[in-house]
Amino acid sequence: MVEESSQGPAPPHPGGDHSSYPQMGSKATPAFVETKSPLSEKIRSRISANGPIRFRDYMAMALYDPEFGYYASPTQRVGRQGDFITSVSVGRCFGLILARRLMAFWEESGKPEAFHIIEPGAHDGALGADILEEIKRCSPDCYNAVHYHLVEVSRSLREAQQATLGPRFDGKFSCRTTLSEMGGLHGAVISNELIDAFPVDLIRFENGGWVQLLVHHEGDAGRPLRFISAELQDRGLQSFCASLGNQFPDGYTTEYSAGIGKFVSEAAAALESGLFITIDYGHGSDDYYHPDRSEGTLQTYHQHRKSDNPLEFPGEIDITCHVDFTRLEKAAVSAGFKNPRLQTQASYLTNHARDWLIGLESAPGADDAALLRQFQTLTHPAMLGTRFLVLEMTRG
C-alpha cells in the first residue's frame, strides 16, 4: 500500500531507510489522540475478562472485526479518497499485464478446458474485473475456460465484489470467504498486498533474550492501551526467535507472521497444479532482521498520515508489516510449490508486458497514453517499481 496525499501519490512505504520505521512506545508526540470507539471498548472488555492479549489478536480485531474492523467499514480505503493507493487503484494496466501472464500460462498448460484463477484478499474485486476484461478481450477461448474465485473475509467487501463484477461477468466468478472452500483445481493463485495485512506477533530483544509484546490497559477507561512484555507463549514463536539468534541490541523490535504457513498450505490444497504469484512489499530475511532495523517494519496509516502508535484508533487505522520473502518462499516449497523466482515489480511487469508494449508502437489505441502513464507509475523506482516484489512459483 502507498500513502496518498493531496499532491498525488507519495513514495511507497520505506524499504532501506532503517531510521524511518515507527518508534513504538517512544516519547515522541503521537499523531493522534485516542478516543473512545466501539472497537476500543470491545478490546478493553476482552482484556478485562481474559487478561492482556497478543498483538496478533489485537491486530486481527483492529482489521477484521466483523462489526468495527478497518476492513469491515464501508468507508473507501483505497485511492485518492482513501488512506492509501495500490497498484490496482493506479488503473487497469496492472490487471492487464497480469492477465497476459495468466493467458500465457494457460497456453503453456495445454489450453485446458477449465482454468481457475483464485485471488485471496480480493478486496472489492477491481483486480478481478480488470483481469477478466483483458482475457475476454484478448482470448475468447481462454475466457471460456476461466472461472475467477474471489476470497474475502469481509461481508461488505464481498458485497462490493458483486457490485464490481456484477452482470458484466455473470457466471464467471464466485465470492468465497476462505481458501479452504476449494481443492484440487488447476490454474493460478494470485495475491496482491495480502500477506502484509496478516496479524503478527510483536517480539522484542530485552536483557539478552526474546520477549513478546502484549496489549494491556490500566483498568481506567480513560487510560490508553499500552504494551507490556511477556514470555514467549507458544512453540512456533519460540522456534522462530531461536532461529534469529541473540546478536541484537537491547530493545530491538520486530514481527512474526504466523499466518504465512497456513496461507501457503491452503493455497497448495486449493491448487493441485498451476501458478502461485504473490505481490507485496518486503525483504529477504537478512535485510528484514538486520540489527539496524531496530523498530521492525510495522506501519500504520490514518487519513493519509502515519501514526507512531498502532494502539491508537483501533478499527480506524490501517496496520501492515513488510513480508519476509525468504520465509515465504521456504514455506511455499515445504507446501509443494517449486521453481521460485523473486523479482522486483518493475522487472516482472516489464517482462510480461513486452508484447503489449511492442504492439503499442505499431498500433496505438485511444487510451494507450493513460495506460503508459500507469505503467510508469507501476514500474518507476521512485514509485512502485522496486519497493514491491513478486514471488512466482509453480505446482504440479
Side-chain angles (χ1 to χ4, degrees):
M1 302 170 189
V2 181
E3 186 183 8
E4 182 69 90
S5 72
S6 59
Q7 287 76 38
H13 288 172
D17 181 4
H18 301 158
S19 65
S20 60
Y21 288 87
Q23 304 291 314
M24 290 181 300
S26 70
K27 296 181 181 180
T29 302
F32 315 108
V33 177
E34 183 180 16
T35 59
K36 288 185 179 181
S37 69
L39 184 56
S40 66
E41 293 305 304
K42 192 172 183 177
I43 292 169
R44 289 174 184 277
S45 295
R46 177 172 173 176
I47 293 172
S48 296
N50 303 309
I53 61 174
R54 302 170 74 132
F55 184 76
R56 177 199 306 181
D57 297 328
Y58 168 86
M59 185 172 170
M61 294 180 72
L63 295 181
Y64 303 112
D65 182 87
E67 291 181 283
F68 309 118
Y70 183 80
Y71 289 113
S73 169
T75 302
Q76 183 177 348
R77 301 299 190 185
V78 181
R80 291 190 176 277
Q81 304 305 316
D83 291 334
F84 49 82
I85 64 169
T86 68
S87 294
V88 179
S89 68
V90 167
R92 70 181 184 91
C93 182
F94 187 65
L96 178 154
I97 298 172
L98 292 178
R100 287 168 179 266
R101 173 61 184 124
L102 295 170
M103 285 186 283
F105 185 78
W106 173 76
E107 292 184 358
E108 295 166 10
S109 303
K111 299 183 179 181
E113 294 183 0
F115 188 79
H116 297 267
I117 303 173
I118 306 165
E119 187 193 351
H123 198 67
D124 63 359
L127 178 58
D130 290 340
I131 289 175
L132 285 173
E133 186 66 45
E134 186 65 10
I135 294 176
K136 184 179 182 180
R137 187 180 72 84
C138 294
S139 177
D141 289 341
C142 182
Y143 184 76
N144 288 336
V146 162
H147 190 85
Y148 206 102
H149 304 265
L150 304 102
V151 184
E152 182 59 63
V153 297
S154 166
R155 182 178 63 182
S156 64
L157 288 177
R158 292 196 302 275
E159 292 172 352
Q161 292 167 6
Q162 292 284 352
T164 299
L165 278 75
R168 271 198 301 164
F169 305 108
D170 188 37
K172 301 301 293 183
F173 72 96
S174 301
C175 299
R176 303 180 181 276
T177 57
T178 65
L179 265 174
S180 59
E181 295 177 34
M182 293 160 283
L185 302 178
H186 173 73
V189 171
I190 179 168
S191 70
N192 179 56
E193 294 194 57
L194 169 68
I195 299 176
D196 65 83
F198 283 1
V200 299
D201 284 306
L202 290 180
I203 54 175
R204 178 170 289 171
F205 194 75
E206 292 182 353
N207 302 317
W210 290 100
V211 298
Q212 71 179 106
L213 301 183
L214 304 183
V215 179
H216 195 32
H217 68 80
E218 300 290 351
D220 183 348
R223 300 289 294 276
L225 297 170
R226 65 184 180 91
F227 286 113
I228 62 171
S229 299
E231 294 183 0
L232 304 178
Q233 293 186 344
D234 63 67
R235 291 184 179 179
L237 193 53
Q238 292 167 1
S239 176
F240 174 73
C241 289
S243 73
L244 294 179
N246 294 316
Q247 303 302 311
F248 295 93
D250 199 60
Y252 179 93
T253 304
T254 190
E255 312 91 23
Y256 169 68
S257 179
I260 286 178
K262 181 175 183 288
F263 168 60
V264 295
S265 295
E266 290 185 349
L271 195 68
E272 183 176 8
S273 61
L275 202 60
F276 177 68
I277 304 172
T278 301
I279 306 163
D280 226 312
Y281 46 89
H283 313 285
S285 291
D286 289 345
D287 189 16
Y288 199 115
Y289 305 110
H290 193 283
D292 289 342
R293 197 181 295 279
S294 60
E295 295 293 337
T297 73
L298 193 73
Q299 306 272 357
T300 63
Y301 289 94
H302 177 68
Q303 296 178 350
H304 318 310
R305 297 182 298 170
K306 290 182 181 179
S307 166
D308 290 334
N309 187 351
L311 303 184
E312 293 174 313
F313 282 129
E316 299 177 36
I317 60 172
D318 182 31
I319 307 175
T320 73
C321 291
H322 284 52
V323 175
D324 176 357
F325 273 94
T326 303
R327 183 163 166 255
L328 173 62
E329 181 181 315
K330 289 179 178 178
V333 169
S334 296
F337 293 101
K338 57 186 180 180
N339 303 320
R341 186 177 185 187
L342 184 65
Q343 298 176 271
T344 64
Q345 177 168 290
S347 296
Y348 187 86
L349 295 183
T350 300
N351 181 42
H352 295 297
R354 186 169 289 110
D355 291 344
W356 170 64
L357 293 171
I358 292 173
L360 293 185
E361 297 179 1
S362 59
D367 62 345
D368 286 339
L371 288 172
L372 284 172
R373 287 194 297 271
Q374 294 169 21
F375 180 77
Q376 291 168 352
T377 299
L378 294 170
T379 58
H380 195 284
M383 295 299 297
L384 308 182
T386 57
R387 304 302 180 97
F388 284 82
L389 299 178
V390 183
L391 176 64
E392 181 178 291
M393 303 181 71
T394 58
R395 176 171 170 80

